[in-house]
């Protein structure tokens, strides 16, 4: 795919797989709207007053149907939007087409190369003259990373004339980042600093990105305010847990059609994502074994009847392996060599380094047989047995299926809208410093409340006397900050 | 698609969507073989002696990857095979391509019209000169029906000269059947009777087909022996139950991506299929309501915590409706009109008459919006609200997903192979009359036993003294005929 | 406890633990009536016409609160009743007291010796002059056994003068049976034959008793008609399954207060009882391992995510062992020696020979520490570790808790009432020969229907056209005889 | 029961139901020790150095078998201990007897009156000359309350001569508290202030007590440091959740023997306790409806397939009502009047004011029929229908069963031991001010780790490189403070 920006008849920039899929995308977007009551409520409540009028929002977040509803909520509130995906396999091309045609500048397609991926990210941040976006919606932190690395390089260059050297790193992806920044330096050595100046803040979607933000906060290198959307209860305890409970079996089924019942499944990590995965596999009739480093999570697994062992204990007995840790080097090529024939290996946690894809790809004599896109069988030369790796080690629910369903994404994305509104509304008040914030509990509760009606729920109301008895306001928030749900 | 038979280079007839998908089909067939230990054990045990040498087998059964492994087991045992699908949407085109290229005559593609469907069925039974097949593998009984109707028409024609009149029926599909028979009569007025003469017997896969067979047995019109594979324990208590537990959510997810958690789902019918569906929906976090006519099944549902109501009680509250009854007229257009916007309506039980598709299609002013193949939104003119109908009311797990997974189909299909072997081996002994038979329990137990090793199970062995104590042979069978599992 | 019959002021015979508990028993009986809609419906439908007028019914069935409601249903229909328990630990003394005081002759208390047990059984069958009962309600077949053995001995005695020799058997319990018969022979050498003459038939409650009946039918030694109540769907698929799912954890908790979550539990046998037990343990958070001889049941366990291994594989790893097989010699003393300290061993299947109690009791140096009645810790001399055996190896749900709850027993016992009515009404028609019968399906469906209203269920009604389509009557029965539910 | 202190032969004070049950208690304590690895590990690690030498510990916490193991862990570490129960029904008399005989001064029996209850609390705090305890283990905060109220009254008395007036309150229980303080004032007007002086701190077990502590902290009235044990993850996410999942059905079964399957159950509140209760009821086959004030918890319930309604919506349809809110006035007498006959009403959350016991008791014409202790049927005069109230509205798992099982209590109580050690070791360092603290995460993780071995779990170890990657120490703690598990 030639990397040149295209334009709609109205002049909006885009680069998508096939604009003719826009009608199909539109139909699915309309279905999704019915399932996303939180976002639709935001449109109803805030749409008329256009609070984002004048705001430029750049988003780096899986370009799916659900994200399309988010984008069109932002535009309904007055924002101008540019978007890219945060994963090379996660774009739904019909969603991208509909948004590109109708609503926002989109640079995303399913099956990008890494070079294409970062080109898209750059485009998403590139608002032409006058610097970058006012606000960023980030997922995993790549847009944030690019700006931080860009600023760092520009300052170094200004100071010492030193230019970023892609060869200074072994990491294939970081090589590309450095190349982009290096090339950018030549044309505009203040580009990322201008961006930083304009930027009001970022709202970050996921655990991995949040972790990076806290690290930057700790080292004092965070360049703008950040809202941690991941740790809203209505995000991490819903999207991570119930989203994965839905999308893990969905991805497994679409990729492999394998019968889950009767199988032995290993779930590496028993955080919210792991809990959702283990529940789904157990309910589908698998026998689930958990690996954990944290004794508390391990004890939770045991209380649910799951066995807790190390990967080494079970590597040659299990049929399905799922990584959910947010860490690296979980399933190494030496593990994979010992697995049963046609064992399925996949990642739903984090980057593709949870699984040792590099070790696998470079294993002497290994043979890769692509069954279909995102489903590869890798055959080891000694044993002639193969394992099946999904989505090349990247998030399998997005690579092999369509990610999380609309309803649970409505919870997450309503947090995003609220976070973006908060950053924008407070842009001149100094309320937010260059730190990481979570949304206050009453907004978290509001997000939940917006999703109850769709499911036919009826809340009980506290009396004043009951509220006093437990020392909370009648209207909430109802729980102390440390409450764990 | 022009209805003309094509031929492979080796001269084998076929009609499939795209022969170039054969390589992809082959890869998935190879994966499936690893998941189908019962069929592979049949190949190992019986393959060398070619017991089917000289036998012609015609099969009318969803032309999926799993069926491909069945077909190649039959050919590995020496049979010559012709195949068609028993459902217009259930063919996996890459499976059909691989079989057509490599192993058997196939007439099947995803998305046949009804005319095409019956043309394929006719082709499947057409072995050229010398009459029809020796054996039939049937699913739903359409191949069996065609022969019975053909024979009836030929006899009537011989007796009275009367020719079948397609206009004599309102049923669109039966019109086509009569047309085919009428047209055939002209060219060969003994065609179906010759087929009947040659036929050794049929093995029938599913509840609906079995019901037809018992009716024919009762009225004395059954023309050849039949083995009821459906009521092998290792079929009905596995395929129907665990197969649907897997494939219902699979179909829902692929067709609609809807979040199942939190939804209200109505399962019409609580037989084996309904039990599997209700279990899957409950486990995915839906609130499940069952409708039933049978008080025993209703009481079972209640014991599992499911509510039992009538469709009228819940029609306007539920989000997902699934028919599993094997009966007709379950969800009528008047029900559909009262449903919530975007309620999902689908059938996993039987023919497309469980849902009143005719009533829907002919509803004045109704508008059909095809989201994607097999996923239609039907909008009612009065309310402007729409419902989403899957697979045009036909089996949604086959229309919207890929049917049941290999492992559970291995149970069903091993029963098929054993039934076919039994009919063939006893073809001259008179053991089987023109009646419906079930396989003896020791064969049922054998099918199960062939599937245990793959799942790492270890059986306990009875001692002689224990066997005597409970009055069973040490090697089984272990249960009385009436045992319900 | 001195074994002499006592009499109420009205002259009714009894022997119970403490008649003063009758008021407490009455209160619980009244609660149970609300939970037993099937029995109460029988009282309403048949009570006024007193169909059992003149009938003597002897029952040998756990003398619990639920059985009390059964007994008073029989008396409400006009019967005269004598009762004993069919298990030395299963009597609820307050239930026995209430019935003894108010309704029927009862001989039963919790914690009988084996001698006392058989004395009670004899009393239950002893209707004084004029022979025995007209009808027997049996559970496990002990009353039936006593009559059959009695008749055999009398005939042998008449023929050869030979008297039963208790020393001819190693079986401690059968020694007692022979003693009773021997002693009876002296006073009345025609006693059991007179009983047999009068007897119209027996209705048998449980798998074990039914197995004995079929054996007698096969060898032609069955002396009177028998109705197999166990194999009514509304019995075996409810009482055995859902009853045990309730009462297994109940018994474990009352006996040991052990946390089930996190434990490894072995369920020996995966029939209806085993399925209920495994479900209960899994749901409570245990990791469940099943042992099975039958490959079909084993495959069912695997489909539910349960591991299937042999007892030897897991004996030293598991925390809880439950036998549900209906067979003998399942857990031997050599297994018990290898178990973890304080492993719990119990039986919910059948007689106390599922667990090798004899081997345990006679193990050299073993020490028994009674924690509380029915909960013993047995310490092995070599290891000083102990295992905890419940209810001395007898049915733990009756020994350690109160058996199955009223609602599910209402299903079973409504079958009993209907079976007794059937035998009694047809006593002169010759409908029932000396064979074993199951109730017809329409009665089975009726039993279920009587239990739906209490749970708020609403059945769907077939239309005539639908009924014709599936070839069943509109009013049922709805399923073929071989249907497995 | 006459309220006089008794003494063992060694001179230790006590007041229990029956000292002769000590042997039985000892046997059950020994069983419990095997199930409480955390406490036994504390004995092994800290026992030899007797860190509590010289410390007086007063405990007000359900005097069960599990608490006995806690007490003997404290004494094994060198403490002197006095104990009372924190609930009038929760004492297990054999546990109290064993501890009284062997280890500590105990004042507790099952079925105390409220006067007796507070007499016991007073005894527990009364260490004779030299003031009160050094440390308090509290559950619900009654011991802490008595001291705070005592100090307040003494200060008021010293200031104004005013004596507490029991008639100044409507609350029956608080009347008794004021009476005790008033009577104490006469003999020693500095009693509670001396206590306060000596006191190093309190560790509080449960949500209700913790809430009181935070209120006192907020108003600045807290008199000594407090450690909030409840909010250790290994307490609230285990004891509250998995403990109740175990003990709710246990209590229901022991009290009523009711079949849970098929019933409609209402769980008021979906916090940790409610989650455990709802899970248990659902798994047992009930249809569960949740009432909630908090939209987040409500949405969690929906995601698990539970219906969320108000009590008014379902009051006349449900069979079982369980309060878990920690609030008051949840089920009022007006609700109870509308319930179905024999609906079961119980509380597992908090005090007996969750259920309007006062309204029920004073309802005109209501009739109370005690089925057995802690199980009462209350019949309304208008309808003659009755409801069944468990444990007089108090904690039903402790009143009707034996509370939570040992294993999960070992988690909670290991936190207690660690908290007590922390307070004692830091008694002179000023580390703890008059505030409420939670234990640091590494101790929480340690508690979990101590419980893994017993369940056969094997933890995975982080590599240094992995630990760096996620920015945690190799040895933990592994999660940020806000992590919700």
């Amino acid at each position: 795919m030639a990397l040149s920006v295209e334009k709609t008849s109205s002049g909006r920039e885009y680069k998508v797989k096939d604009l003719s899929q826009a009608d199909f995308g539109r139909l699915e977007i309309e279905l999704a709207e019915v399932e996303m009551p939180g976002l639709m409520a935001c449109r109803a409540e805030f749409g008329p007053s256009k609070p984002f009028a004048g705001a430029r929002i750049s988003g780096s977040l899986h370009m799916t149907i659900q994200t399309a509803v988010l984008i069109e909520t932002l535009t309904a509130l007055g924002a101008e939007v540019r978007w890219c995906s945060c994963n090379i396999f996660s774009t739904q091309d019909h969603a991208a087409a509909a948004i590109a045609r109708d609503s926002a500048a989109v640079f995303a397609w399913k099956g990008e190369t890494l070079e294409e991926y970062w080109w898209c990210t750059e485009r998403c941040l590139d608002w032409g003259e006058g610097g970058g976006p006012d606000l960023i919606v980030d997922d995993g932190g790549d847009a944030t990373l690019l700006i931080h690395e860009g600023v760092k390089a520009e300052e170094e260059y200004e100071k010492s004339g030193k230019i970023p050297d892609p060869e200074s790193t072994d990491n294939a992806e970081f090589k590309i980042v450095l190349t982009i920044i290096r090339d950018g330096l030549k044309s505009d050595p203040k580009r990322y600093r201008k961006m930083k100046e304009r930027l009001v803040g970022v709202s970050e979607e996921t655990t991995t990105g949040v972790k990076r933000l806290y690290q930057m906060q700790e080292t004092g290198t965070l360049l703008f305010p950040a809202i941690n959307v991941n740790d809203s209860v209505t995000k991490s305890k819903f999207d991570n847990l119930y989203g994965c409970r839905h999308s893990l079996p969905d991805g497994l089924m679409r990729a492999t059609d394998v019968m889950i019942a009767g199988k032995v499944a290993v779930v590496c990590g028993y955080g919210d994502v792991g809990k959702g995965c283990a529940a789904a596999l157990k309910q589908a009739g698998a026998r689930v074994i958990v690996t954990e480093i944290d004794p508390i999570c391990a004890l939770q697994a045991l209380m649910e009847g799951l066995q807790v062992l190390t990967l080494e204990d079970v590597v040659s007995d299990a049929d399905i392996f799922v990584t959910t840790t947010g860490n690296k080097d979980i399933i190494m090529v030496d593990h994979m060599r010992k697995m049963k024939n046609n064992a399925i290996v996949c990642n739903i946690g984090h980057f593709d380094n949870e699984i040792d894809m590099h070790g696998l790809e470079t294993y002497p004599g290994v043979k890769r047989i692509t069954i279909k896109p995102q489903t590869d069988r890798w055959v080891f030369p000694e044993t002639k047995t193969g394992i099946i790796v999904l989505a090349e080690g990247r998030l399998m629910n997005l690579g092999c299926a369509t990610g999380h369903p609309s309803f649970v994404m409505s919870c997450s994305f309503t947090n995003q809208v609220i976070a973006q509104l908060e950053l924008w509304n407070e842009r001149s008040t100094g309320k937010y410093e260059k730190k990481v914030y979570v949304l206050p509990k009453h907004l978290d509760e509001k997000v939940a409340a917006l999703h109850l009606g769709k499911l036919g729920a009826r809340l009980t109301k506290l009396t004043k006397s009951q509220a006093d008895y437990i020392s909370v306001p009648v209207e909430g928030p109802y729980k102390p900050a440390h409450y764990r749900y």
Side-chain angles (χ1 to χ4, degrees), chain A:
Chain A
M1 185 174 270
L3 290 180
S4 62
V5 170
E6 299 177 50
K7 290 198 181 181
T8 63
S9 56
S10 67
R12 193 186 305 113
E13 295 185 340
Y14 72 90
K15 180 78 183 170
V16 302
K17 179 70 136 292
D18 177 5
L19 205 61
S20 76
Q21 293 187 39
D23 280 344
F24 172 30
R26 179 55 50 196
L27 285 173
E28 292 223 324
I29 288 168
E30 284 167 8
L31 293 186
E33 287 171 356
V34 179
E35 287 282 312
M36 302 186 88
L39 290 182
M40 300 313 277
C42 288
R43 293 191 197 177
E45 181 173 349
F46 304 115
S49 65
K50 304 280 178 230
F52 283 132
R56 296 171 175 179
I57 301 179
S58 286
S60 163
L61 196 158
H62 315 287
M63 181 60 249
T64 63
I65 291 291
Q66 291 72 37
T67 300
V69 183
L70 167 61
I71 291 170
E72 296 192 334
T73 302
L74 296 173
T75 58
L77 271 57
E80 220 182 326
V81 175
R82 293 177 80 82
W83 214 265
C84 63
S85 206
C86 62
N87 179 302
I88 60 175
F89 293 132
S90 67
T91 297
Q92 290 180 273
D93 289 318
H94 62 321
I99 291 300
R101 185 190 65 185
D102 301 340
S103 305
V106 174
F107 308 89
W109 55 93
K110 189 174 184 79
E112 299 160 357
T113 63
L114 286 176
E115 280 80 8
E116 290 167 345
Y117 173 81
W118 284 101
W119 178 85
C120 290
T121 306
E122 213 189 352
R123 291 291 72 67
C124 169
L125 291 173
D126 181 2
W127 289 79
E129 294 309 305
D134 296 298
L135 294 161
I136 293 178
V137 174
D138 215 352
D139 182 327
D142 278 353
T144 301
L145 172 92
L146 185 56
I147 299 175
H148 278 77
E149 291 296 330
V151 168
K152 199 162 70 178
E154 287 173 8
E155 288 174 346
E156 177 69 31
Y157 176 67
E158 192 169 285
K159 211 173 63 185
S160 69
K162 196 176 153 207
I163 280 198
D165 176 12
E167 296 314 306
S168 66
T169 174
D170 274 350
N171 181 309
E173 191 157 0
F174 200 56
K175 251 188 233 301
I176 299 168
V177 173
L178 291 182
T179 306
I180 283 180
I181 294 172
R182 184 195 59 191
D183 296 351
L185 259 184
K186 297 169 192 167
S187 54
D188 180 358
K190 297 208 162 179
R191 181 183 194 192
Y192 290 104
R193 282 177 291 178
K194 281 184 282 181
M195 249 183 231
K196 178 198 81 170
E197 285 317 309
R198 183 177 182 116
L199 248 176
V200 168
V202 63
S203 59
E204 166 60 47
E205 178 75 6
T206 197
T207 316
T208 294
V210 161
K211 206 170 280 167
R212 285 181 177 177
L213 289 170
Y214 281 113
Q215 287 168 3
M216 288 192 281
Q217 173 178 275
E218 219 153 284
T219 56
T221 54
L222 186 62
L223 298 174
F224 34 79
I227 292 185
N228 164 2
V229 162
N230 181 69
D231 288 306
S232 289
V233 186
T234 47
K235 200 279 176 179
S236 61
K237 297 290 272 188
F238 287 83
D239 188 349
N240 304 13
L241 178 65
Y242 300 117
C244 291
R245 192 179 67 176
H246 178 106
S247 66
L248 175 81
D250 192 11
L252 279 174
M253 287 167 169
R254 295 199 208 203
T256 70
D257 289 317
V258 78
M259 179 102 179
I260 298 172
K263 296 299 194 301
V264 178
V266 176
V267 176
C268 299
Y270 198 67
D272 287 319
V273 170
K275 285 175 172 74
C277 293
L281 291 164
K282 183 181 179 188
Q283 288 159 352
R287 181 157 65 85
V288 179
I289 297 165
V290 162
T291 73
E292 249 300 343
I293 58 161
D294 182 329
I296 297 179
C297 296
L299 197 54
Q300 290 183 305
L302 291 161
M303 290 296 102
E304 299 297 344
L306 308 173
Q307 200 167 8
V308 177
L309 293 171
T310 68
L311 189 54
E312 286 68 28
D313 293 326
V314 296
V315 71
S316 49
D317 295 328
D319 301 286
I320 300 170
F321 296 83
V322 185
T323 59
T324 77
T325 68
N327 205 332
K328 64 172 184 176
D329 297 344
I330 304 304
I331 301 183
M332 306 307 290
V333 71
D334 262 356
H335 294 125
M336 295 188 256
R337 282 177 50 218
K338 294 173 190 151
M339 289 177 182
K340 284 161 67 170
N341 186 32
N342 286 4
I344 297 168
V345 176
C346 62
N347 166 34
I348 194 172
H350 168 74
F351 296 132
D352 56 344
N353 60 353
E354 293 215 20
I355 298 171
D356 178 18
M357 290 309 296
H358 180 74
L360 181 61
E361 287 155 8
T362 58
Y363 190 86
V366 78
K367 195 174 149 203
R368 172 180 177 174
I369 301 162
T370 297
I371 310 292
K372 58 187 177 189
Q374 334 291 351
T375 307
D376 294 300
R377 186 161 183 263
W378 294 80
V379 181
F380 289 99
E382 303 87 354
T383 54
K384 308 293 179 210
T385 62
I387 60 164
I388 296 169
V389 177
L390 305 191
E392 304 185 13
R394 292 171 189 267
L395 296 177
M396 59 79 79
N397 54 343
L398 284 153
C400 300
T402 62
H404 290 178
S406 301
F407 187 83
V408 83
M409 291 316 297
S410 180
C411 295
S412 301
F413 287 168
T414 306
N415 278 291
Q416 281 285 9
V417 172
I418 289 175
Q420 291 278 315
L421 275 174
E422 184 73 7
L423 286 169
W424 184 245
N425 290 339
E426 304 290 341
R427 64 189 180 279
S428 327
T429 65
K431 178 172 175 186
Y432 293 103
E433 303 173 49
K434 292 174 185 171
K435 289 186 180 165
V436 190
Y437 297 86
V438 291
L439 289 175
K441 191 166 290 292
H442 76 273
L443 292 179
D444 216 348
E445 292 183 357
K446 177 175 178 171
V447 171
L450 292 175
H451 289 84
L452 297 179
K454 165 78 182 166
L455 302 182
R458 295 163 49 93
L459 273 188
T460 299
K461 291 230 173 295
L462 275 186
T463 64
K464 181 70 175 65
S465 144
Q466 287 177 317
D468 291 348
Y469 185 73
I470 59 167
S471 306
V472 301
V474 165
E475 298 305 326
Y478 300 107
K479 299 290 191 301
H482 64 263
Y483 189 72
R484 294 193 189 89
Y485 297 89

